[in-house]
């Protein structure tokens, strides 16, 4: 990752202030700098400077598409929420305008919508000059209450005035937000869809004047409910292009609980009568039938073996002492490791049995702590060797001398456990440890060891706290410094439980070194925990902190599933096709003593088809990790319904490695409804205006690849690709984009699972957050026919539109942060042969002039 010099940072800070006031008048050289930084998207909208999230107030008015957006006019992280503003005549080239609706001393201006009050129902304008009216969520700073409020513009959206009678809708809630308002002609009234976020409901209200609202109905909970519901949108679409056959689409964004983890956007298709939305999908589900392996209905664990004390002496019939109500289990009983609270650990293991089915289906709930390959289940012996520091004294003295502290994060000596307002710290040895949460995350500083000689192969230590890599602008990390250079670094995992880490120092034997503990972060998880630093000939291995269910073959974990930080059990599956005829075991594991440190499990069944979780059964606008707060334009010409979304994820949104600006929007998509397999499915395509950016084009001749990767001779940072591929005999096949220097982003299809996947694990910079280096998947049956791909590649994103021969479609959107030199495009096949039957590619011009 490149870094800017301090003088450059000061310049950007000054420009950020000016931008917030709408006063930036950059010279051509400065403009080039601002819009051509590393990772800056070249055909996706980004603000010139500072933080952006949800798109707001999307409306087409007098030949211009207006894009308002959640914006921090004062910095590159979330805060000071106001409405930024940009306009376009073609949905491609954008001009950022001055700040539209600023926060003030009383409120932040959260998400909402804009309508044209043609009939002057509000009285804000006139019939000859109707007002644009913004309906937004007023987030009260003093109380946290979220109320619906109005602002209006009579000069086409350039300047805005807040309504003196605000709020216009207040139900006394801190989770009531993101109104989408539109005119409903059949009742000659305004309609509002607004989120009851923590109840997983969308409320519908009506009004004749935008000022007085009447509650009509609620929709939900339904579909995916793993996190809060936000940013609803409701609109009609013709089915198969037939205007006489119209259905309504309700889009609901949620965080966390998205299909790819963190933020996500789902939709429902159904009917709306002006008062109530009814989904075509009833939400009922019957899992595949099969042979029950264990349902815990006998009143005992039977021949399953329990260790530890977390599971108690028998299955439970509901919540145990101190536990919230448990739902979703089958029958009367289930396995529950909350006995004694989250502090207890243990396992519950089946006897060996022979696999005879394609799947083992089961229900799982509790904590979201996945299995970590290489982790040890049980206590890991403390490594022996030379102890450099154990932090048991009242000062930072150690066997190798006194450590030196700067700043105010580390205090004058080691902590004695957990600080006030800190989650419970665990996993350290003895009584003392380094803990930079002193006075909270806002404090910063360093702690540096004396010089020592590296004379053993490994350096082992216990580490916890925040995950902010040494390469980030504000690290929370332990660094090994040799000859004035940082040669190793490690960080916590956004957890207060310390765990073993180890550095192989084979190449540094005999060198003089120092350890530097750095806390430069003042945000969430902006601290570090450290203990028991040992030079050793033994490599310490982390101990497992899993809460979940494992499939064991020859005693080794081959598949795993976990809960979602919920007391609701949901279906999961192990694909056992590869293990037919083999002996396996099922193991339920609780190795976690922290928050949500327990597991729930029930109804293990051998079946020929997989059971689908609520996440898998939900209808997703996008299966990628970076598609959130999706919303559509009002009054788009030609009756088009066009959607755009925030191309980021709340899991890591504030940590992505961009400077001067943070976050982009997806490229606008035109929506339609198509009948696929007897049901109306939402279909998305990039708006046709994309063609205006096409420059050089290339056609690749049909190419066959077997068990390898073939370069297609294409290069580009900004590309549009249209391709058709067929599996032939391959298990996996597809395209790699942004390749070079060991980097790639893989767009593939797995014939063994019937899924499209978008793999960014080797896409470039991924170390800024634990949850970033992931593979996203989406089901799409090919039935031996071609896979059609339409791919948009930009400086820091990939959008994949994948379709089968039946017209069924899935879309996946991911951010990536590759090196600028990684520009190649390859075709690949694994486990056999695949054919690229066609590929058309276009270089895309930059929208920033």
């Amino acid at each position: 990752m490149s870094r800017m010099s301090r003088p450059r940072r000061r310049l950007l800070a000054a420009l950020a202030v000016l931008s917030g006031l709408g006063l930036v008048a950059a010279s051509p050289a400065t403009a080039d700098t601002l819009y051509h930084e590393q990772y800056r998207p070249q055909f996706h909208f980004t603000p010139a400077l500072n933080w952006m999230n949800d798109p707001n107030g999307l409306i087409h008015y007098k030949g211009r598409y207006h894009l308002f957006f959640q914006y921090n006019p004062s910095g590159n992280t979330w805060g000071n929420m106001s409405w930024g503003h940009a306009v376009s005549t073609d949905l491609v080239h954008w001009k950022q305008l001055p700040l539209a609706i600023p926060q003030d001393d009383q409120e932040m201006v959260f998400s909402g919508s804009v309508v044209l009050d043609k009939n002057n129902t509000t009285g804000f304008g006139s019939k000859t000059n109707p007002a644009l009216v913004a309906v937004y969520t007023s987030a009260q700073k003093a109380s946290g209450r979220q109320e619906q409020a109005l602002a209006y513009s009579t000069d086409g959206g350039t300047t805005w005035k807040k309504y003196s009678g605000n709020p216009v809708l207040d139900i006394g809630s801190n989770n009531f937000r993101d109104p989408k308002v539109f005119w409903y002609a059949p009742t000659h009234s305004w309609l509002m869809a607004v989120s009851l976020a923590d109840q997983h409901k969308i409320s519908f209200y009506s009004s004749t004047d935008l000022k007085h609202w009447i509650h009509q109905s609620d929709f939900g909970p339904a579909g995916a409910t793993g996190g809060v519901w936000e940013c609803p949108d409701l609109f009609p679409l013709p089915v198969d292009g037939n205007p006489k056959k119209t259905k309504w689409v309700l889009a609901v964004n949620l965080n966390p609980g998205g299909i790819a983890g963190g933020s996500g956007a789902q939709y429902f298709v159904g009917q709306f009568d002006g008062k109530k939305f009814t989904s075509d999908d009833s939400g009922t589900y019957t899992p595949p039938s099969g042979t029950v392996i264990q349902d815990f209905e006998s009143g005992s664990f039977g021949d399953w073996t329990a260790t530890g004390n977390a599971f108690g002496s028998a299955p439970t019939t509901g919540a145990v002492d101190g536990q919230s109500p448990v739902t979703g289990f089958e029958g009367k009983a289930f396995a529950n490791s909350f006995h004694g609270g989250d502090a207890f650990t243990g396992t519950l293991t089946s006897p060996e049995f022979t696999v005879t089915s394609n799947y083992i289906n089961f229900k799982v709930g509790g904590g979201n702590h996945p299995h970590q390959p290489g982790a040890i289940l049980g206590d890991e012996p403390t490594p022996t060797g030379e102890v450099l520091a154990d932090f048991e004294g009242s000062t930072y003295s150690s066997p190798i001398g006194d450590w030196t502290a700067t700043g105010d994060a580390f205090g004058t000596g080691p902590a004695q456990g957990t600080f006030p307002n800190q989650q419970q710290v665990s996993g350290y040895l003895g009584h003392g440890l380094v803990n930079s949460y002193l006075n909270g995350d806002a404090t910063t500083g360093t702690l540096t060891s004396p010089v020592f000689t590296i004379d053993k192969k490994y350096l082992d230590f216990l580490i916890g706290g925040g995950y902010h890599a040494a390469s980030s602008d504000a690290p929370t990390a332990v660094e090994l410094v040799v000859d004035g250079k940082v040669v190793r670094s490690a960080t916590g995992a956004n957890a207060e439980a310390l765990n073993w880490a180890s550095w192989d120092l084979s190449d540094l034997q005999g060198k003089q070194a120092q350890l530097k503990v750095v806390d430069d972060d003042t945000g969430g998880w902006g601290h570090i925990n450290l203990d028991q630093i040992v030079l050793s000939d033994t490599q310490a291995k982390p101990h497992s902190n899993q809460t979940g269910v494992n499939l064991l073959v020859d005693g080794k974990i081959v598949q795993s599933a976990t809960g979602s930080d919920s007391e609701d059990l949901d279906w999961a599956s192990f694909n056992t096709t590869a293990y037919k005829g083999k002996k396996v075991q099922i193991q339920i594991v609780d190795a976690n003593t922290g928050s949500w440190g327990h597991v729930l499990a029930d109804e293990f069944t051998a079946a020929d088809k997989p059971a689908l979780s609520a996440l898998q059964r939900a209808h997703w606008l996008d299966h990628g990790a970076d598609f959130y707060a999706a919303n559509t334009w009002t009054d788009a010409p030609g009756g088009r319904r066009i959607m755009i979304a925030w191309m980021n994820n709340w899991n890591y949104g504030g940590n992505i490695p961009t400077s001067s600006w943070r976050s982009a929007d997806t490229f606008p998509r035109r929506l339609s409804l198509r009948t696929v397999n007897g049901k109306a499915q939402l279909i998305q395509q990039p708006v046709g205006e994309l063609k205006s950016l096409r420059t050089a084009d290339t056609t690749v001749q049909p190419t066959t690849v077997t068990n390898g990767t073939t370069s297609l001779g294409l290069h580009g940072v900004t590309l549009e690709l249209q391709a058709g591929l067929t599996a032939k005999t391959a298990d996996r096949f597809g395209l790699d984009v942004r390749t070079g220097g060991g980097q790639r982003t893989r767009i593939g299809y797995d014939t063994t699972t019937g899924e499209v996947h978008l793999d960014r694990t080797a896409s470039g910079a991924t170390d800024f957050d634990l949850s970033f280096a992931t593979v996203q998947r989406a089901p799409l049956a090919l039935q031996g026919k071609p896979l059609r791909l339409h791919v948009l590649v930009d400086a820091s994103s990939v959008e994949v539109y994948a379709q089968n021969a039946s017209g069924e479609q899935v879309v996946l959107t991911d951010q990536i942060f590759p090196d600028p030199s990684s520009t190649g495009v390859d075709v690949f096949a694994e486990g056999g042969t695949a054919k690229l039957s066609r590929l058309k590619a276009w270089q895309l011009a930059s929208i920033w002039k």
Side-chain angles (χ1 to χ4, degrees):
M1 182 197 322
S2 65
R3 294 190 179 188
M4 295 181 179
S5 66
R6 291 189 181 276
R8 173 65 178 151
R9 287 183 180 278
R10 287 197 292 270
L11 171 62
L12 290 176
L15 287 173
V17 174
L18 294 176
S19 178
L21 298 174
L23 298 177
V24 171
S27 66
T30 303
D32 286 345
T33 301
L34 282 174
Y35 283 101
H36 293 86
E37 307 94 332
Q38 184 177 8
Y39 306 136
R40 171 76 80 167
Q42 292 302 297
F43 63 94
H44 292 78
F45 174 75
T46 52
L49 302 169
N50 300 337
W51 168 272
M52 175 185 75
N53 53 285
D54 307 358
N56 297 154
L58 306 178
I59 190 169
H60 183 269
Y61 180 63
K62 290 188 175 180
R64 298 199 302 179
Y65 293 91
H66 290 261
L67 168 62
F68 299 90
F69 47 90
Q70 290 286 280
Y71 185 61
N72 181 356
S74 303
N76 205 23
T77 57
W78 186 93
N80 309 305
M81 283 294 97
S82 306
W83 275 27
H85 190 193
V87 293
S88 172
T89 58
D90 62 1
L91 290 169
V92 176
H93 299 88
W94 293 95
K95 178 183 179 182
Q96 188 172 348
L97 299 181
L99 193 67
I101 310 177
Q103 65 149 6
D104 57 34
D105 291 342
Q106 283 75 46
E107 68 173 9
M108 285 196 288
V109 183
F110 279 11
S111 294
S113 49
V114 169
V115 295
L116 175 64
D117 188 13
K118 294 180 182 179
N119 299 319
N120 198 30
T121 63
T122 58
F124 292 153
S126 65
K127 288 195 175 181
T128 57
N129 184 32
L132 289 174
V133 181
V135 189
Y136 67 90
T137 296
S138 170
Q140 295 296 303
K141 293 182 176 180
S143 65
R145 182 176 293 184
Q146 296 178 357
E147 307 162 345
Q148 311 321 311
L150 305 180
Y152 60 94
S153 172
T154 55
D155 60 5
T158 302
T159 60
W160 293 81
K161 183 177 181 180
K162 294 179 181 179
Y163 173 47
S164 60
N166 285 336
V168 296
L169 183 56
D170 176 15
I171 62 171
S173 171
N174 287 17
N175 285 281
F176 180 53
R177 55 184 175 268
D178 310 334
K180 181 60 182 277
V181 176
F182 60 96
W183 180 256
Y184 187 68
T187 59
H188 303 285
S189 63
W190 298 104
L191 290 178
M192 176 194 293
V194 61
S195 175
L196 298 172
D198 57 346
Q199 298 180 44
H200 306 119
K201 291 181 179 180
I202 303 301
S203 282
F204 299 103
Y205 289 82
S206 66
S207 172
T208 58
D209 61 3
L210 293 175
K211 299 175 180 177
H212 303 89
W213 294 91
I214 300 172
H215 180 255
Q216 299 295 332
S217 67
D218 293 334
F219 173 79
T225 56
V228 294
W229 277 16
E230 297 184 319
C231 302
D233 195 1
L234 179 67
F235 50 88
L237 282 176
V239 180
D240 301 323
N242 183 356
K244 295 182 179 180
K245 185 181 180 182
T246 297
K247 287 185 177 290
W248 286 76
V249 177
L250 175 64
V252 179
N253 297 268
L254 74 161
N255 175 67
I259 185 65
S263 314
Q266 63 181 325
Y267 72 95
F268 304 86
V269 176
Q271 302 298 329
F272 183 68
D273 62 5
K275 293 185 176 182
K276 181 180 180 180
F277 177 82
T278 304
S279 175
D280 290 349
D281 187 343
S282 67
T284 59
Y285 179 67
T286 301
S289 59
T291 303
V292 175
I293 299 170
Q294 173 63 275
D295 60 9
F296 302 111
E297 294 298 299
S298 69
S300 74
F301 291 132
D303 54 2
W304 289 43
T305 303
T307 66
N309 46 17
F311 290 93
S313 59
T316 62
T317 56
V320 298
D321 290 346
Q323 188 174 24
S324 299
V326 178
T327 57
F329 56 93
E330 302 290 312
K332 297 180 180 179
F334 60 97
N336 184 351
S337 75
F338 196 77
H339 291 85
D342 282 332
F344 286 3
T345 61
T347 63
L348 185 60
T349 309
S350 76
E352 282 192 332
F353 61 94
T354 302
V355 173
T356 58
S357 63
N358 292 329
Y359 295 90
I360 295 175
N361 298 327
F362 55 95
K363 285 198 146 183
V364 62
N368 182 10
H369 304 287
H371 165 67
Q372 297 172 304
I376 303 298
L377 187 61
D379 293 331
E380 170 76 359
T382 302
T384 58
E386 180 185 357
V387 177
L388 301 186
D390 60 10
F391 304 108
E392 289 300 294
S394 59
T395 63
Y396 287 118
S397 60
S398 74
I400 59 172
D402 294 338
W403 293 50
T404 303
T406 67
D408 50 6
F410 295 95
T412 59
Q416 298 296 303
T418 307
F419 284 120
N421 301 317
Q422 185 178 22
Q423 296 179 29
Q424 184 67 41
V425 178
S426 62
Y428 58 96
L429 300 181
H431 302 288
L433 76 155
V434 172
N435 181 354
S436 71
Y437 192 78
L438 181 66
N439 297 319
D441 280 331
T443 55
T444 60
T446 64
L447 183 66
T448 306
S449 78
V451 175
F452 61 92
T453 301
I454 298 174
D455 57 4
K456 291 184 170 55
K457 186 175 182 181
Y458 298 102
L459 185 69
D460 302 324
F461 50 94
L462 289 164
I463 189 170
Y467 183 89
H468 304 97
S471 58
S472 68
D473 289 338
T476 55
V478 179
E479 301 173 349
L480 181 67
V481 180
V482 175
D483 297 331
K485 297 179 180 180
V486 176
V487 296
R488 303 283 191 278
S489 67
T491 188
N494 288 347
E496 301 293 13
L498 284 77
N499 208 340
W500 285 109
S502 185
W503 291 328
D504 188 334
L505 307 180
S506 300
D507 59 327
L508 299 172
Q509 294 300 297
K511 292 280 190 177
Q512 299 288 293
Q514 283 181 289
L515 286 168
K516 187 176 182 180
V517 190
V518 181
D519 177 357
D520 277 346
D521 198 286
T522 59
W525 287 106
H527 64 278
I528 187 168
N529 307 327
L530 181 69
D531 195 22
Q532 202 67 24
I533 304 168
V534 183
L535 273 171
S536 178
D537 291 323
T538 303
Q539 184 178 24
K541 294 183 178 180
H543 55 77
S544 173
N545 65 357
Q546 181 189 9
T547 54
V549 179
N550 297 326
L551 181 68
L552 307 181
V553 177
D554 297 327
K556 297 181 179 179
I557 298 171
V558 295
Q559 293 184 50
S560 184
T562 189
S564 57
D565 289 347
S566 170
E567 302 292 15
D568 181 54
L569 288 85
D570 198 3
W571 287 106
S573 293
F574 291 145
N575 186 334
T576 52
T577 306
Y579 308 114
K580 280 187 176 181
K582 293 185 177 181
K583 295 284 188 180
V584 301
Q585 289 176 285
I586 296 167
Q587 185 177 63
I588 309 172
V589 177
D590 177 355
N592 196 293
T593 60
S595 177
W596 282 104
H598 62 280
V599 61
L600 317 171
D602 195 18
E603 202 69 15
F604 290 88
T605 304
D608 290 330
K609 295 182 179 180
L612 301 179
S613 67
L615 275 181
Q616 293 170 309
R617 301 194 304 271
H619 307 288
W620 295 99
L621 286 164
D622 196 296
H623 285 74
D626 294 304
F627 190 89
Y628 192 62
N631 220 299
T632 62
W633 265 275
T634 299
D635 298 334
R640 292 193 300 175
R641 183 59 58 170
I642 300 166
M643 176 173 278
I644 198 169
W646 182 50
M647 196 161 58
N648 209 338
N649 190 307
W650 284 115
N651 270 357
Y652 46 74
N655 296 329
I656 60 173
T658 60
S659 295
S660 78
W661 90 100
R662 186 166 276 134
S663 292
D665 284 334
T666 61
F667 193 80
R669 304 172 179 184
R670 184 173 183 178
L671 307 182
S672 61
L673 282 176
R674 178 189 298 161
T675 301
V676 180
N677 299 325
K679 296 181 180 179
Q681 183 190 74
L682 196 65
I683 301 297
Q684 309 170 61
Q685 294 295 342
V687 294
E689 290 90 335
L690 174 68
K691 295 177 182 178
S692 68
L693 295 179
R694 291 175 176 174
T695 57
D697 65 272
T698 303
T699 299
V700 175
Q701 297 302 311
T703 302
T704 299
V705 58
T706 302
N707 291 327
T709 301
T710 299
S711 172
L712 297 178
L714 293 173
H715 292 274
V717 171
T718 55
L719 291 171
E720 179 186 3
L721 307 172
Q722 294 182 0
L725 302 101
T726 306
K728 299 299 184 181
T729 62
D731 292 331
R732 286 164 296 278
F733 65 96
L735 299 176
D736 291 337
V737 298
R738 297 303 304 271
T739 66
Q743 298 179 0
R744 72 177 187 201
T745 298
R746 172 153 287 186
I747 305 160
Y749 187 85
D750 191 326
T751 63
T752 66
T753 62
E755 293 175 319
V756 179
H757 56 270
L758 182 53
D759 181 350
R760 64 179 179 189
T761 56
S763 60
T766 62
D767 65 351
F768 54 86
D769 192 274
L770 282 169
S771 63
F772 188 80
T774 51
V775 182
Q776 279 61 252
R777 296 179 172 86
L780 186 68
L782 293 185
Q783 298 177 333
K785 296 181 179 179
L787 171 69
R788 301 170 185 170
L789 294 176
H790 191 176
V791 181
L792 305 184
V793 181
D794 205 342
S796 56
S797 65
V798 175
E799 293 168 277
V800 178
Y801 301 79
Q803 187 171 301
N804 64 16
S806 301
E808 185 177 3
Q809 183 199 59
V810 292
V811 186
L812 302 94
T813 299
D814 272 6
Q815 292 181 96
I816 56 171
F817 300 98
D819 189 272
S821 62
S822 300
T823 62
V825 180
D826 303 337
V827 62
F828 76 91
E830 296 177 349
T833 297
K835 182 178 180 180
L836 175 68
S837 57
R838 63 178 179 86
L839 188 144
K840 187 72 177 287
W842 293 269
Q843 302 281 342
L844 297 178
S846 172
I847 66 173
W848 310 118
K849 303 299 183 183

